[in-house]
């Protein structure tokens, strides 16, 4: 259970091009039909401040050190947790969040090589220890994920295939370490199968 005691925090994670946004929309539809009033949000960019931080982080022209990068993601998260996520959980609502702490572990901890211990410390400071009730990792090989991208690639997407391979490895390591919180879904399956598995995982959480 998240440390607000009520509400549920569900996070959607995965490498580039895994289809998180499509699944977030599908889960939103299912939850509304089932009578819930969920909040859909994302990181970076779930607040006004966060949208400005997102622009700095993803702009292909930004020159950002690895340490500055992780701290910008953390600043976005600190604002988001306090202003959006915790208030919604306190109202007993379900929060569907596109990316959260596991993105930092996979991208900055693994792919940038900052290490999981450092990332855990930064995440703890940013979130006050708020851990998701359920995390769905949409797994896809990096070449297939990047190939799905239609618009021009942002600063992170432009990283080489080895970076994206490490991101995926980071996610799969998280799933192995925390099997009760994290469910891995094969994002190469057709959209209907992926949605069915996502809904099943959410139903299991809500049945509690
Ligand atoms: P997206 O929201 O469009 O998926 O893209 C956000 C990008 O930021 C994506 O490349 C993953 C990256 N990211 C990190 O590197 N660390 C983080 O903590 C978060 C939330 C995202």
């Amino acid at each position: 259970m998240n440390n607000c005691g009520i509400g549920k925090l569900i996070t959607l994670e995965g490498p580039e091009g895994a289809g998180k946004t499509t699944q977030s929309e599908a889960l939103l539809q299912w939850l509304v039909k089932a009578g819930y009033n969920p909040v859909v949000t994302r990181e970076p960019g779930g607040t006004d401040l966060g949208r400005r931080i997102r622009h700095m982080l993803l702009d292909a022209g930004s020159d950002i050190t690895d340490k500055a990068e992780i701290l910008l993601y953390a600043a976005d998260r600190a604002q988001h947790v306090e202003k959006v996520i915790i208030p919604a959980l306190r109202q007993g609502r379900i929060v569907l969040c596109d990316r959260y702490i596991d993105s930092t572990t996979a991208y900055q901890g693994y792919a940038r090589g900052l290490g999981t211990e450092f990332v855990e410390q930064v995440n703890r400071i940013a979130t006050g220890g708020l851990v998701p009730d359920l995390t769905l990792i949409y797994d896809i090989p990096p070449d297939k994920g990047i190939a799905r991208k239609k618009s021009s690639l942002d600063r992170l997407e432009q990283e080489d295939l080895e970076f994206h391979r490490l991101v995926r490895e980071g996610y799969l390591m998280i799933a192995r370490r925390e099997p009760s919180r994290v469910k891995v879904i094969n994002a190469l399956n057709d959209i209907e199968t992926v949605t069915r598995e996502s809904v099943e995982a959410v139903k299991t959480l809500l049945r509690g």
Side-chain angles (χ1 to χ4, degrees), residues 141-199:
D143 51 331
K144 298 248 166 38
I146 293 290
R148 282 180 176 182
K149 291 275 158 188
K150 290 193 186 78
S151 50
S152 60
L153 301 183
D154 66 32
R155 195 177 61 86
L156 275 287
E157 289 163 349
Q158 281 181 8
E159 290 291 340
D160 60 19
L161 220 51
E162 175 59 10
F163 177 90
H164 294 293
R165 195 188 62 73
L166 287 169
V167 167
R168 184 190 192 197
E169 202 176 293
Y171 275 126
L172 296 178
M173 187 280 308
I174 295 167
R176 280 195 299 275
R177 272 201 337 203
E178 296 182 72
S180 59
R181 168 175 74 88
V182 177
K183 182 174 167 52
V184 178
I185 294 180
N186 182 355
L188 285 178
N189 282 331
D190 57 86
I191 292 182
E192 292 72 27
T193 306
V194 176
T195 301
R196 191 169 359 96
E197 286 184 27
S198 306
V199 167

Side-chain angles (χ1 to χ4, degrees), residues 27-140:
L27 283 173
L28 168 67
Q29 279 185 19
W30 182 83
L31 285 164
V32 169
K33 256 196 195 153
Y36 294 94
N37 179 22
V39 172
V40 177
T41 186
R42 71 167 174 183
E43 291 189 0
T47 62
D48 284 342
L49 176 68
R51 279 181 277 284
R52 282 183 270 160
I53 296 175
R54 181 182 174 92
H55 179 73
M56 286 191 260
L57 279 164
L58 299 189
D59 182 352
S62 293
D63 177 19
I64 304 179
T65 67
D66 292 354
K67 245 188 224 167
E69 179 180 275
I70 190 174
L71 294 173
L72 283 170
Y73 280 111
D76 165 75
R77 183 162 304 133
Q79 183 83 359
H80 189 219
V81 165
E82 199 169 320
K83 294 276 186 187
V84 177
I85 300 182
I86 289 185
L89 292 176
R90 290 214 169 113
Q91 290 170 2
R93 296 175 74 182
I94 294 172
V95 178
L96 276 184
C97 188
D98 187 336
R99 297 197 182 279
Y100 187 61
I101 50 174
D102 300 308
S103 282
T104 318
T105 304
Y107 282 79
Q108 281 68 49
Y110 263 72
R112 292 281 189 232
L114 292 179
T116 45
E117 244 173 67
F118 176 59
V119 169
E120 272 168 24
Q121 271 181 335
V122 172
N123 276 341
R124 212 172 307 118
I125 293 168
T127 64
L130 180 69
V131 174
D133 295 281
L134 171 68
T135 296
L136 303 176
I137 292 181
Y138 296 96
D139 181 46
I140 188 162

